[in-house]
Amino acid sequence: MDLLFLTFLFPLSGFLLLAFARDRVSENVAAAIGVGSIGLSALTAAYAGWDFFHHPPPGGAYTQMLWTWMQVGDFAPAFALRLDGLSLTMLGVVTGVGFLIHLFASWYMRGEDGYERFFAYMNLFIASMLFLVLGDNLLFLYFGWEGVGLCSYLLIGFYYKEPANGYAARKAFVVTRVGDTFMAVALFMLYRDFGTLNIHELLDRAPQLWAVGSRTATITTLLLLGGAVGKSAQLPLQTWLPDAMAGPTPVSALIHAATMVTAGVYLIARTHTLFELAPLSLEWVGIVGAATLLIAGFCALVQTDIKRVLAYSTMSQIGYMFLALGAGAWHAAIFHLMTHAFFKALLFLTAGAVIIGTHHEQDIFKMGGLRKTLKLEYACFLIGGAALAALPVLTAGFYSKDEILWDELAANHMGFLAAGLFGAFLTSVYTFRLIFIVFHGEEKIHAHAGHSTPYWLPLSVLLVLSTLVGALIHPPLAGVLPADPGEAGGELKDKLEWASGAIAIAGIGVAALLYLGERRFVTAVAKSGMGRALTGLWLNAFGFDALYDLLFVKPYLAIVNFNRRDGFDQAIGLIPRLTKFGHDALSVTENGRVRWYAATIAGGAVLLLAALVLV
């Protein structure tokens, strides 16, 4: 565990090497540095995990002090790493899945302008994400939090020559900054009350200084929730994620499926004691999750871009994690976070392979019949889609999603349970809608499959992890997070599993009826008045972008236009203009005529005498 610092030092070194050697190294060298640095980080993480289990640290947590970051009076935050069951789980996801995505990207990005720049940004992202999950104080965590926000901006706008991509990057940066501002205010409030931002000390002191349900606890945790919804693309700050698909597909797999969007879930789980002292805030966590998973599910039903379907499914699955957190099902939330990283990374990478195989086509209705030529991709989509839909017994998603649903029932959150079950139905429908349209039916486009090791190896590993094998990996969260409401089990658990499994299968059946064959019924519904209205509503994400444009963007632009000629600047500009006017006026008197000078002297004397007499 003493080598823990190497987990972020390797990717940070990779970033520096690629940043300074830009355009001076070949693609092979850039790939070796970019992929190799994450591979070394993953090996170091594996060793740290092995050491953690075989030589458990006292108290179940190991802290590695690196240096004091700053010293301002009594405020002395440190660069220190803390390894416990929760951070170890996140460490494994970030480095393990991150390595597979980097390996796939070395094939996917071949021949692209900025190959070295791409891997430099990706390495910096991994380093920032490791700061976030390993930091032992909230300021260090916030440092990594902002780092992944910066890297997200850089990677979403990687194809910067297209103005739309730059717009998507700016949108993601600005929207997530709104949440980050809430989080920063929460940190100020925490330091005011506790005099420290060390996470372990905060969780120890909070029950002593805050009463359950106190106003301060509620406000502070709601502000933390504001930060979480921004980073994890939950209502009402979810609008950036679908547009973020403008970035390369491996970016979508890494940032917007497996790591960055789960940062909000990690933050709430890490500060669980604070949220337990604020039941209202915890309830709102669940409400946000329920609303997001349903809204995103409806939106995914009508998308035509293969990546946007997966983007909305990501929002929906993060909603399940928030749903679990809202019921105090901390273990279930992190378990689903881990399994979701497996199958969603698989789906995004496979979508990238489909896009490459179909000559950069992303419209699913221009595809069809691809199971004949893209056999590995078809298998990956079947397994990944089945895990996303929580198909019973064989998939990892079934076990993690059912843990969430059971905990909702055990905690008597019947509204959350109903939302989770209906969301499961929607998930099955939109997932297999995508699979049936892309891989079944008439072949509409010529496709070719990839063959290199960096192409098939990551897909194969993630495919295995998306099955029952991935569900056998249990995050070591005992002693780190409180027990879940349904941990003791119950007689209704098996019945709920059968019910949720039946719902998933029913969703697949509905998708088959609607989207296999000639699709006459769904076409007729889509052309009806109600169908067109709902399609327009869902295709435009329930109008949130238009609403925010009306409430925030247009008023801001109006103020900018009004201040195009800054009034204060104009007022200050009067001083030099008056000075110049005075100079010009006095310069007229300097004409070299003696009679004029004599007259002005006489006139001045008369004015002085008049002033003396009048005074």
Side-chain angles (χ1 to χ4, degrees):
M1 285 183 286
D2 291 340
L3 301 178
L4 187 61
F5 72 96
L6 292 177
T7 56
F8 73 81
L9 187 61
F10 283 128
L12 194 59
S13 300
F15 160 71
L16 293 173
L17 287 172
L18 290 169
F20 285 104
R22 182 178 165 186
D23 300 327
R24 297 184 183 89
V25 296
S26 66
E27 286 189 349
N28 289 335
V29 173
I33 295 173
V35 179
S37 62
I38 306 304
L40 291 172
S41 179
L43 289 174
T44 306
Y47 171 75
W50 178 88
D51 198 17
F52 183 87
F53 286 118
H54 287 80
H55 305 95
Y62 167 75
T63 300
Q64 185 175 41
M65 174 68 180
L66 299 179
W67 63 82
T68 299
W69 187 356
M70 63 184 80
Q71 179 88 41
V72 183
D74 295 331
F75 183 58
F79 267 102
L81 310 178
R82 183 177 176 86
L83 188 68
D84 57 18
L86 178 56
S87 56
L88 180 60
T89 302
M90 295 298 295
L91 181 65
V93 169
V94 172
T95 59
V97 177
F99 169 71
L100 294 174
I101 293 172
H102 273 72
L103 183 59
F104 183 87
S106 68
W107 168 79
Y108 184 90
M109 297 299 293
R110 286 283 175 177
E112 295 279 4
D113 290 336
Y115 191 83
E116 304 86 354
R117 177 168 55 91
F118 173 82
F119 279 105
Y121 294 163
M122 293 278 276
N123 278 197
L124 181 60
F125 171 81
I126 292 290
S128 299
M129 193 68 199
L130 292 175
F131 288 151
L132 193 159
V133 301
L134 292 175
D136 85 325
N137 66 81
L138 288 176
L139 190 63
F140 193 7
L141 183 153
Y142 192 72
F143 178 76
W145 189 276
E146 291 300 311
V148 296
L150 170 65
C151 294
S152 176
Y153 168 78
L154 295 172
L155 287 165
I156 293 169
F158 179 77
Y159 299 122
Y160 61 89
K161 293 180 181 179
E162 284 289 334
N165 297 339
Y167 171 78
R170 290 196 305 274
K171 181 178 179 180
F173 192 78
V174 171
V175 173
T176 55
R177 290 294 78 70
V178 174
D180 296 353
T181 303
F182 288 135
M183 184 177 172
V185 176
L187 299 192
F188 290 132
M189 295 182 68
L190 287 170
Y191 184 75
R192 180 200 64 185
D193 287 359
F194 299 100
T196 182
L197 291 177
N198 182 278
I199 297 172
H200 184 65
E201 293 177 8
L202 284 174
L203 300 188
D204 281 346
R205 296 181 192 176
Q208 303 168 17
L209 297 178
W210 283 354
V212 176
S214 69
R215 185 172 63 178
T216 302
T218 301
I219 293 173
T220 304
T221 49
L222 285 176
L223 289 168
L224 288 174
L225 175 59
V229 300
K231 199 66 74 181
S232 291
Q234 298 292 285
L235 285 171
L237 300 178
Q238 83 287 4
T239 57
W240 65 270
L241 186 61
D243 290 341
M245 297 302 107
T249 305
V251 172
S252 303
L254 179 65
I255 295 182
H256 309 125
T259 52
M260 189 186 100
V261 291
T262 61
V265 179
Y266 172 78
L267 174 67
I268 296 174
R270 178 55 81 189
T271 57
H272 61 274
T273 302
L274 305 182
F275 280 88
E276 287 180 324
L277 294 171
L280 178 62
S281 299
L282 204 56
E283 187 76 11
W284 271 104
V285 172
I287 292 171
V288 166
T292 305
L293 76 89
L294 293 177
I295 287 175
F298 283 118
C299 292
L301 286 172
V302 297
Q303 301 301 315
T304 59
D305 186 301
I306 188 171
K307 290 174 65 177
R308 288 180 78 90
V309 175
L310 296 179
Y312 281 109
S313 77
T314 296
M315 289 166 55
S316 183
Q317 295 305 302
I318 301 294
Y320 272 103
M321 298 173 208
F322 272 67
L323 197 71
L325 295 171
W330 313 101
H331 294 247
I334 301 302
F335 185 32
H336 193 56
L337 183 157
M338 181 191 73
T339 61
H340 174 261
F342 298 153
F343 62 74
K344 190 52 66 66
L346 172 65
L347 288 170
F348 264 114
L349 294 186
T350 307
V354 170
I355 292 169
I356 291 292
T358 55
H359 316 286
H360 298 279
E361 182 58 66
Q362 294 185 208
D363 189 335
I364 60 176
F365 287 100
K366 293 182 180 178
M367 304 176 189
L370 295 182
R371 71 184 188 279
K372 300 173 185 176
T373 50
L374 302 182
K375 296 179 181 179
L376 176 60
E377 287 85 346
Y378 181 51
C380 289
F381 253 100
L382 280 179
I383 298 299
L388 176 59
L391 205 65
V393 183
L394 299 177
T395 65
F398 169 74
Y399 296 94
S400 58
K401 188 178 287 186
D402 267 33
E403 283 293 326
I404 294 174
L405 297 176
W406 167 241
D407 283 320
E408 301 298 341
L409 179 60
N412 202 31
H413 282 284
M414 305 310 293
F416 291 170
L417 175 62
L421 289 172
F422 186 61
F425 176 75
L426 290 177
T427 303
S428 290
V429 175
Y430 70 66
T431 300
F432 279 85
R433 166 187 177 265
L434 172 63
I435 293 172
F436 293 148
I437 292 173
V438 171
F439 292 99
H440 290 260
E442 179 187 354
E443 186 174 352
K444 299 177 182 178
I445 190 171
H446 176 71
H448 59 86
H451 299 288
S452 66
T453 301
Y455 150 77
W456 64 261
L457 181 60
L459 297 180
S460 301
V461 173
L462 289 169
L463 184 148
V464 172
L465 290 174
S466 298
T467 64
L468 174 63
V469 175
L472 297 176
I473 305 172
H474 290 284
L477 303 175
V480 182
L481 297 174
D484 287 0
E487 189 169 302
E491 60 181 16
L492 294 177
K493 186 174 183 181
D494 290 340
K495 294 180 180 178
L496 180 62
E497 288 179 351
W498 281 106
S500 65
I503 287 172
I505 294 171
I508 297 173
V510 170
L513 288 173
L514 294 177
Y515 298 103
L516 284 179
E518 297 183 5
R519 308 171 196 158
R520 292 178 179 176
F521 177 75
V522 72
T523 302
V525 171
K527 290 182 178 179
S528 67
M530 180 64 73
R532 285 197 299 270
L534 288 177
T535 300
L537 181 65
W538 296 345
L539 195 59
N540 291 289
F542 284 80
F544 276 95
D545 278 318
L547 177 63
Y548 293 163
D549 187 62
L550 180 65
L551 293 179
F552 302 111
V553 177
K554 287 184 178 177
Y556 176 77
L557 292 177
I559 294 171
V560 169
N561 188 58
F562 178 77
N563 282 328
R564 188 177 299 276
R565 294 186 176 182
D566 193 326
F568 287 101
D569 191 50
Q570 298 251 345
I572 294 172
L574 284 175
I575 298 174
R577 283 196 290 271
L578 288 172
T579 303
K580 185 176 183 300
F581 174 77
H583 169 268
D584 292 341
L586 291 173
S587 295
V588 174
T589 65
E590 301 293 330
N591 54 22
R593 297 177 180 176
V594 176
R595 291 179 180 180
W596 169 258
Y597 293 154
T600 54
I601 291 172
V606 169
L607 290 174
L608 285 174
L609 290 173
L612 290 173
V613 170
L614 293 174
V615 173

